[in-house]
Amino acid sequence: MKYDVIVIGSGPGGYVAAIRASQLGKKVAVVEKAELGGICLNWGCIPTKALLKSAQVFNYVKQAADYGIRLDAQAKPDLKAIVQRSRTVADGMSKGVQYLFKKNKIDLINGFGKLLPGKKVEVISDDKSKKQYEAGHIILATGARSKELPSMSIDHKKILGYRDALVLSELPESMVVVGSGAIGSEFAFFFHSLGVTITLVEFMPTILPIEDEEVSKQLERSFKKSKMKVMTNSSVEHVDTSGKKCKVTIKTKKGEEIVEADLVLSAVGVVTNLEGLGLEEVGVQVDKGKVIVDDFYRTNIEGVYAIGDIVHGPALAHTASHEAITCVEAFSGLNPQALDYGNIPSCTYTTPEVASVGMTEKQAREAGYEIKVGKFPFSASGKASASGSKDGFVKVIFDAKYGEWLGCHMIGENVTEMIAEAVAARKLETTGYEIIKTVHPHPTMSEAIMEAAADAYGEVIHL
């Protein structure tokens, strides 16, 4: 069977590419070996946010007295019910993609897709049968999976990957979380909120190492304030799983330390899913585990494209979706703009939340900018005080010469819902002074953005 477009993978890159191609009049098929929606909808972004919401509600209940509400019975988390809710949410999102495929007349081909020469795709079904398809354009969107350290191989029993952590049947008493990026920090917060003793281990000097240093240190303070053990500048050297508990040997600046825990969660990043795709046979160029593409996601082989986690750039769902649209519109002749990777927001859904876009203060200085830096703490925000969530701040960085908004970094309640203002403003080349003069509603958390900008220019009112 011949199609205009075949997409291999149905995550936020793949299914978005398919839908946009169908909107542009293409005959489209998607090859998927597992659930529609990929890791994000089924085992990543969506189910983790459902878990985190349960943890947030549980924290609200525990703190009800702070809001003048008395609870007669002591609240207890029901992990099975929490996990079931998470799986129900994920299943609903996957069914939503099924509906969109039907609406847009996209064919779903179940199986493992492999490239063949001559713009062909071979699909291997679960029963090992094979069938070939042709397409004028083939988009690779196969995503990534948990990365493993040599010192701790995931056995899915005592050493877990993120998928295992999503469906635990009972809470352990203790857990070591290795890696404090978004995945590690979110899981550490989730399990700690439910009463698990957590040790969070990070190789770099700060947790959330890609974030602005002040933000990372603030989150670390929040974690430690809640009695979570955080070990930075530390690495896991060995995990002994032979006993009832895991014995985790951790190398620190002060020497080795052994931490005992029921479970170990590996959250040290992801590795791309390129095995078996036929890239070498077809001649698609790869560099350090990433497919080489141009600004419009064309590989070196005509008619073959790659998007999402398997290409260089931030491995984020929203990045993959925008790459998908750019890719499809480019080969459809719409002349889209190349994606600006300097203006992609990053979000971490702990409590407090973290969100950022653009350069950190350190990066701006290293790039040679003369900068203006403004900061507004939520402790001075009326809305934050009313909501009982005063931890955190908004930090903004502007070019002193032209007022260009170089970076925005936030930590606090609901800041993941606020960062889009900075992304849109930077896209529109808005200056710091224009942000100061933009009327923000009161009382809101978003006022902190305006106040932080005013602080950068020495005009802040509420500090």
Side-chain angles (χ1 to χ4, degrees), residues 348-393:
T348 304
Y349 299 84
T350 49
T351 296
E353 292 182 347
V354 173
S356 64
V357 67
M359 293 182 179
T360 64
E361 181 178 349
K362 181 180 179 182
Q363 289 169 340
R365 293 189 190 280
E366 288 177 346
Y369 285 99
E370 181 184 345
I371 60 176
K372 290 182 180 292
V373 178
K375 193 172 160 185
F376 190 80
F378 285 120
S379 58
S381 161
K383 179 63 179 294
S385 294
S387 67
S389 303
K390 297 192 290 183
D391 279 356
F393 56 84

Side-chain angles (χ1 to χ4, degrees), residues 111-187:
F112 183 90
K114 178 183 177 180
L115 282 175
L116 296 177
K119 298 183 181 180
K120 294 181 181 179
V121 173
E122 179 182 76
V123 179
I124 306 170
S125 300
D126 289 340
D127 61 5
K128 305 303 179 183
S129 63
K130 299 178 181 180
K131 191 171 182 180
Q132 290 186 12
Y133 302 85
E134 291 184 51
H137 307 279
I138 300 170
I139 303 174
L140 307 177
T142 52
R145 63 187 184 278
S146 289
K147 184 178 181 180
E148 294 190 31
L149 290 176
S151 59
M152 41 180 283
S153 179
I154 296 172
D155 62 12
H156 309 291
K157 296 177 181 177
K158 289 187 175 181
I159 302 179
L160 312 178
Y162 63 84
R163 288 181 66 145
D164 305 309
L166 280 167
V167 291
L168 284 181
S169 58
E170 59 183 36
L171 287 171
E173 290 184 3
S174 56
M175 178 185 289
V176 172
V177 179
V178 186
S180 71
I183 294 173
S185 292
E186 288 177 3
F187 273 118

Side-chain angles (χ1 to χ4, degrees), residues 215-250:
V215 169
S216 296
K217 288 182 176 179
Q218 175 64 47
L219 184 62
E220 184 174 338
R221 284 193 294 270
S222 296
F223 279 177
K224 288 181 175 178
K225 185 179 178 181
S226 68
K227 308 302 182 187
M228 184 191 299
K229 184 175 182 179
V230 178
M231 302 175 68
T232 53
N233 286 309
S234 302
S235 59
V236 172
E237 299 297 298
H238 178 68
V239 180
D240 180 358
T241 60
S242 60
K244 185 176 180 181
K245 287 182 176 289
C246 300
K247 291 185 177 180
V248 185
T249 303
I250 302 172

